[in-house]
Amino acid sequence: RFIKTFNIPYFYYYDQGYTSLGNRANTHPNPLLRNDDGSYSPAYMLKNWDTERALRDNAHTHSGSEKSELRMALVIIGDEVVSGKISDINTPYACKAIRRAGFELGEIVLVPDDIKQVSEAVRRLSTNFDIVVTSGGVGPTHDDVTVDAVAKAFDCGLRKESKLCEIIERYSPGAPEKMAMVPSPARLVYIEDASYPVILCWNVYVLPGVPRFFQEKLKAILKYLGGKYKNASKKLYQTKVLLCNVSEFEYAKDLEAIDSRHEGVKIGSYPFVERDDCKCVVTVEGESTDQIQQAVKDIQDTFPPEQIVGIERGHRLLSKEERERSRSRSSRGRGR
């Protein structure tokens, strides 16, 4: 407003809804300035300047157009989940599925069926992450508020989607009109072998909360994203070292020292109660199997042999002979 008041020259993009300029790969009009007719208000109309870099922050781009890492967030929506009336099984599934796809799940938010809370969560996560997935709140009843909340998150209205009307008429005749409403800038993403498409509003995928439908749609979305952002996914390998008769308090310092020596892997630890002979588990995770083997060897060299119950690789417990061969290969590799 200062610039306009004193007629100071400025780049015309700011009149077209751009609030932050980067490179070609990550410069877009700010979604919070989009109008119902598809046009954009000028930059000075942005209400919250904490969202100035929407769709740019955390883009993780190279100098080219490929992303180096795609970060996702998950919003679980529903009074029934928050109150504990039902168990949330979508979160564990999403954690594993997103991990298998090679993407990073950076944050999970659980909110009740409240338009204000859902919209605030979606707005914040949409700004800070590349992809946001919501679960729940897309049914026909009064407490299904997710679509309205997503529209509110982007300061836009709702419109009736004619293709959804056709689908509803075919599969659910007589369903309330609200089932055909979508945020004005949204588009439909069609899932193979699924009756209903997914609503995509900017970088937010709106999914149902029913586990079977959520899982089939998330699986398809991850497959699509894997093809679109081939360089943004990474294959992770993991090895578990099972420890007996030793607590985390006893080996915390040793493990910290091991972790500091192996920057290419991520080393974690947690108590384990599923086996009587195992008290704790140390996990070694990374993209390079060689680096993982080096870190595992370091752990084997640090802990007395009698404290290591076994080593799991790919959910398979290695035999004593296999562990020794792997340890020997790591030693030879380090010698080179």
Side-chain angles (χ1 to χ4, degrees):
R1 290 176 180 172
F2 173 85
I3 290 174
K4 294 186 72 69
T5 299
F6 292 95
N7 294 318
I8 299 173
Y10 62 92
F11 191 37
Y12 70 95
Y13 263 35
Y14 292 110
D15 283 335
Q16 299 180 3
Y18 292 83
T19 55
S20 181
L21 305 181
N23 58 43
R24 292 184 180 183
N26 66 2
T27 298
H28 310 277
N30 193 307
L32 302 180
L33 290 172
R34 185 180 173 100
N35 301 311
D36 291 346
D37 61 1
S39 64
Y40 290 85
S41 298
Y44 69 85
M45 297 293 291
L46 189 65
K47 296 177 181 178
N48 180 6
W49 279 95
D50 288 339
T51 60
E52 174 189 359
R53 293 173 60 87
L55 293 186
R56 278 202 63 212
D57 280 343
N58 293 310
H60 302 289
T61 56
H62 295 299
S63 56
S65 60
E66 293 287 349
K67 286 176 176 292
S68 61
E69 187 178 15
L70 188 142
R71 302 179 69 237
M72 302 181 67
L74 177 66
V75 186
I76 302 295
I77 302 162
D79 290 342
E80 67 278 15
V81 182
V82 174
S83 64
K85 294 174 185 174
I86 67 168
S87 297
D88 170 29
I89 63 177
N90 287 345
T91 295
Y93 176 84
C95 291
K96 294 175 183 177
I98 292 171
R99 175 188 173 82
R100 282 195 303 267
F103 302 129
E104 177 189 347
L105 180 58
E107 187 170 345
I108 302 168
V109 177
L110 174 62
V111 289
D113 294 306
D114 179 84
I115 290 181
K116 184 175 184 292
Q117 291 187 60
V118 176
S119 65
E120 289 176 350
V122 168
R123 181 185 298 115
R124 179 178 63 82
L125 295 174
S126 175
T127 301
N128 294 329
F129 290 88
D130 300 303
I131 299 292
V132 178
V133 174
T134 71
S135 164
V138 294
T141 58
H142 68 283
D143 57 343
D144 291 309
V145 300
T146 299
V147 172
D148 298 81
V150 171
K152 181 179 176 63
F154 293 106
D155 289 327
C156 64
L158 297 173
R159 62 177 175 82
K160 184 185 291 187
E161 172 54 64
S162 58
K163 292 181 180 178
L164 270 182
C165 290
E166 296 173 6
I167 293 171
I168 291 170
E169 185 61 30
R170 186 182 314 133
Y171 294 103
S172 306
E177 185 180 82
K178 71 176 289 185
M179 293 294 292
M181 303 301 289
V182 301
S184 56
R187 64 183 180 89
L188 302 182
V189 176
Y190 291 88
I191 305 299
E192 186 177 357
D193 298 327
S195 302
Y196 285 84
V198 171
I199 298 172
L200 172 60
C201 187
W202 292 106
N203 61 339
V204 179
Y205 288 88
V206 182
L207 271 59
V210 177
R212 179 165 69 90
F213 300 133
F214 174 83
Q215 292 175 15
E216 75 173 15
K217 287 175 167 51
L218 180 62
K219 181 179 178 181
I221 289 169
L222 292 173
K223 181 179 179 181
Y224 163 74
L225 293 174
K228 185 175 182 182
Y229 301 110
K230 292 181 180 179
N231 290 354
S233 63
K234 57 184 178 183
K235 186 172 183 179
L236 295 175
Y237 301 93
Q238 184 185 79
T239 296
K240 296 179 181 178
V241 180
L242 312 181
L243 304 176
C244 70
N245 299 323
V246 58
S247 71
E248 289 184 305
F249 298 103
E250 296 175 65
Y251 64 75
K253 288 186 177 180
D254 287 335
L255 197 63
E256 183 179 1
I258 295 172
D259 182 63
S260 67
R261 294 194 289 268
H262 300 274
E263 295 184 358
V265 299
K266 186 173 183 179
I267 299 176
S269 170
Y270 57 92
F272 195 65
V273 296
E274 296 178 13
R275 288 175 50 164
D276 294 335
D277 62 340
C278 178
K279 203 168 184 179
C280 294
V281 173
V282 173
T283 60
V284 184
E285 180 181 82
E287 297 179 67
S288 167
T289 54
D290 289 339
Q291 290 181 329
I292 289 175
Q293 287 180 4
Q294 293 287 351
V296 170
K297 181 184 181 302
D298 201 351
I299 293 171
Q300 289 178 287
D301 291 342
T302 301
F303 289 88
E306 63 272 14
Q307 289 185 348
I308 299 179
V309 178
I311 296 176
E312 284 187 4
R313 185 177 298 149
H315 303 290
R316 187 175 73 86
L317 186 65
L318 301 183
S319 67
K320 182 178 179 181
E321 291 75 17
E322 287 176 311
R323 285 153 50 189
E324 288 302 322
R325 285 199 299 269
S326 176
R327 187 174 183 176
S328 297
R329 285 195 298 270
S330 297
S331 297
R332 289 196 301 270
R334 181 173 293 180
R336 290 196 301 269

